[in-house]
Amino acid sequence: MISNDMERYAVGADIGGSHICSAVVDLTTGEICGEPLSGKVDCDAGAGEILGAWADNIRQSIAASGLKAVRRVGFAFPGPFDYEHGVSLIRGVNKFERIYGLDISESLFPLLLRSGAEEFRYVNDASAFALGECLGGAACDARRVVALTLGTGVGSGFVSDRKLVTSGDEVPADGWVYCLPFGDGIVDEAFSTRGIIRRYEE
């Protein structure tokens, strides 16, 4: 059994359009406590079902870690999203329509109360991926990195000297490429799962 230091551990949760994957991480060593757990999520479902699926997965990860409770939860979340305040701004991209404008922290708090979770933080999912590769993955020796993720949408992350870059002349606003013009629409419509399927059917 791992002793529970509330400042030492955090849950890391990756939110996708069709899944959630989470694990408890030892912040002092970077080690994962227990195996990462994945669960399916219906991104077209109502807010209660979506939040319930997330909470169930996080509770299971805390239990699998051997800890009695974990206070901090960090979410890697697709955009558009108000990462400072934890409010979903996703609309018009065929996923998570029913949680638009929802305060995620306020909504999850009562569902995770017994697991000790009370502090929630958010970062763009592609940015989290880019940072992870720079800090401890395939890009750990690179000074400048651009990372693209493809799935239900197109994510992007720009890193310079191991820090995220979200503004300036060399990156799009917020570091997001999904909303840039492409063809008759935007990048997200062309290179996401739905865009590739539509192109195949055509």
Side-chain angles (χ1 to χ4, degrees):
M1 177 72 71
I2 303 170
S3 63
N4 188 15
D5 179 343
M6 296 296 277
E7 300 302 316
R8 179 173 177 176
Y9 300 99
V11 179
D14 174 46
I15 302 296
S18 59
H19 76 282
I20 175 175
C21 181
S22 69
V24 174
V25 179
D26 185 331
L27 299 177
T28 63
T29 66
E31 294 182 358
I32 295 175
C33 307
E35 292 294 320
L37 298 178
S38 294
K40 292 183 178 180
V41 178
D42 181 0
C43 64
D44 295 321
E49 182 176 336
I50 292 172
L51 293 165
W54 292 346
D56 285 344
N57 181 267
I58 291 168
R59 284 194 297 263
Q60 291 169 18
S61 288
I62 294 173
S65 73
L67 299 169
K68 294 181 178 179
V70 176
R71 186 168 69 85
R72 298 172 173 175
V73 182
F75 289 93
F77 212 101
F81 193 91
D82 182 339
Y83 294 100
E84 181 180 355
H85 299 102
V87 176
S88 176
L89 302 176
I90 299 173
R91 186 164 61 180
V93 292
N94 298 317
K95 63 180 179 182
F96 296 137
E97 299 281 347
R98 297 185 182 179
I99 63 169
Y100 177 83
L102 194 67
D103 185 322
I104 303 300
S105 300
E106 184 180 76
S107 302
L108 281 176
F109 180 77
L111 301 179
L112 293 172
L113 188 60
R114 291 186 178 180
S115 298
E118 58 183 25
E119 182 180 336
F120 303 90
R121 296 186 182 182
Y122 306 86
V123 66
N124 179 266
D125 55 349
S127 296
F129 167 70
L131 267 180
E133 291 299 328
C134 289
L135 295 176
C140 61
D141 295 325
R143 191 177 74 82
R144 289 161 59 88
V145 171
V146 57
L148 298 175
T149 60
L150 303 178
T152 53
V154 179
S156 56
F158 296 82
V159 179
S160 178
D161 295 324
R162 301 163 73 89
K163 294 181 180 180
L164 281 175
V165 181
T166 58
S167 61
D169 296 337
E170 296 184 317
V171 301
D174 298 310
W176 297 343
V177 302
Y178 86 94
C179 53
L180 296 178
F182 184 86
D184 296 328
I186 60 174
V187 168
D188 208 65
E189 289 297 329
F191 295 101
S192 60
T193 301
R194 64 188 181 280
I196 293 171
I197 291 173
R198 183 176 62 249
R199 187 63 181 270
Y200 172 79
E201 292 173 345
E202 290 173 353

